[in-house]
Amino acid sequence: MDLSFVEENYLKAIYQLQLETPQGVSTTSIAELTKTKPASVSDMLKKLSNKALIHYKKYQGATLSESGMNIALLVIRKHRLWEVFLVKHLNFTWSEVHEVAEQLEHIDSALLISRLDQFLGYPKQDPHGDPIPDAEGNIKDIPKILLSELKVNTPSVIAAVKENNPLFLQYLDKIKASINADIMIKERIPFDNSLEIILSDRTLYISEEVAKNIYVSEK
């Protein structure tokens, strides 16, 4: 099925939102994520519904159909593989890759993506810790929780980031908070819920907002 870049982006957005609201994704939430007017979102949802890529009922939200899910996972697979390539082989930082990968994810060549996956050694995660779907669309995530929800004195590692904003990622680079780094909460400060943490044998303080955007896995 030939789809426009915009249509693919909508399917990807619905997939991301559907992870949090599987019962149905609202027009408003799609508009916020895609930075599009609600009326334009409604028009696109009708178009995707006519192509049998989503199930959509006005006021009840949208969910991906099986074919829509397959396309969304393929776009995400390409995006995350390109991010790995850009970081590992072109010296991009994890704060620089998203916008470039947004363009590369629309390249329509199954052979290219297969060769790219093979060249990279079949990576399981992108530079931000997000799982990469395999060629069949299977996706395996590791158990993780937000750092803000972690219990004090629980040894963990940084598994992924929730926020891909370049400024946030640059801040994490500054404090050397990278994927797979050891991390543990030493104390939770009652006044503002900021945290005293031990990060790779260094003690430092981070805000509650930062902690709400870092995923960790217990060791």
Side-chain angles (χ1 to χ4, degrees):
M1 183 183 298
D2 290 331
L3 297 177
S4 68
F5 293 180
V6 175
E7 289 172 319
E8 290 186 344
N9 286 336
Y10 266 84
L11 293 175
K12 184 175 67 170
I14 294 170
Y15 171 83
Q16 293 168 337
L17 293 167
Q18 195 172 312
L19 293 176
E20 299 179 2
T21 56
Q23 71 277 9
V25 177
S26 70
T27 300
T28 301
S29 60
I30 298 172
E32 290 174 353
L33 182 60
T34 59
K35 297 179 174 58
T36 309
K37 294 180 180 179
S40 298
V41 173
S42 295
D43 290 341
M44 178 56 74
L45 293 181
K46 292 174 185 176
K47 188 175 181 180
L48 294 174
S49 180
N50 289 337
K51 292 185 177 183
L53 296 172
I54 65 170
H55 305 295
Y56 173 62
K57 290 185 178 181
K58 195 172 182 180
Y59 307 121
Q60 294 185 26
T63 56
L64 294 172
S65 66
E66 182 177 355
S67 56
M69 178 69 74
N70 291 337
I71 293 171
L73 287 169
L74 175 58
V75 175
I76 290 167
R77 169 175 164 78
K78 291 188 286 184
H79 181 104
R80 294 176 180 174
L81 283 173
W82 282 119
E83 286 194 337
V84 175
F85 176 78
L86 292 168
V87 169
K88 282 193 171 183
H89 297 282
L90 294 184
N91 298 319
F92 280 74
T93 66
W94 66 341
S95 63
E96 297 173 328
V97 294
H98 182 72
E99 289 189 2
V100 180
E102 283 282 296
Q103 301 172 54
L104 293 170
E105 70 185 23
H106 299 293
I107 295 176
D108 186 19
S109 171
L111 179 60
L112 173 61
I113 299 307
S114 177
R115 295 279 176 85
L116 177 64
D117 194 16
Q118 181 182 34
F119 174 74
L120 294 171
Y122 305 103
K124 303 300 181 184
Q125 294 177 305
D126 73 7
H128 307 103
D130 293 316
I132 299 174
D134 65 19
E136 286 71 45
N138 300 310
I139 189 165
K140 184 178 181 181
D141 204 354
I142 59 173
K144 59 183 182 290
I145 62 171
L146 291 172
L147 177 59
S148 57
E149 299 171 355
L150 185 68
K151 294 181 180 178
V152 172
N153 294 323
T154 303
S156 305
V157 296
I158 296 177
V161 291
K162 183 178 181 181
E163 175 59 70
N164 284 339
N165 182 291
L167 293 177
F168 176 66
L169 297 177
Q170 289 164 16
Y171 168 76
L172 294 186
D173 280 338
K174 184 176 181 180
I175 64 173
K176 297 180 171 60
S178 57
I179 301 298
N180 296 321
D182 291 331
I183 190 168
M184 183 174 71
I185 298 175
K186 187 175 181 180
E187 183 181 2
R188 183 172 274 105
I189 312 302
F191 174 69
D192 59 358
N193 286 323
S194 60
L195 302 177
E196 181 183 3
I197 64 171
I198 299 176
L199 176 63
S200 301
D201 298 323
R202 295 175 296 114
T203 300
L204 64 156
Y205 291 87
I206 61 173
S207 69
E208 180 184 23
E209 187 65 22
V210 169
K212 285 182 176 180
N213 283 288
I214 297 175
Y215 285 111
V216 298
S217 296
E218 294 185 21
K219 294 180 70 174

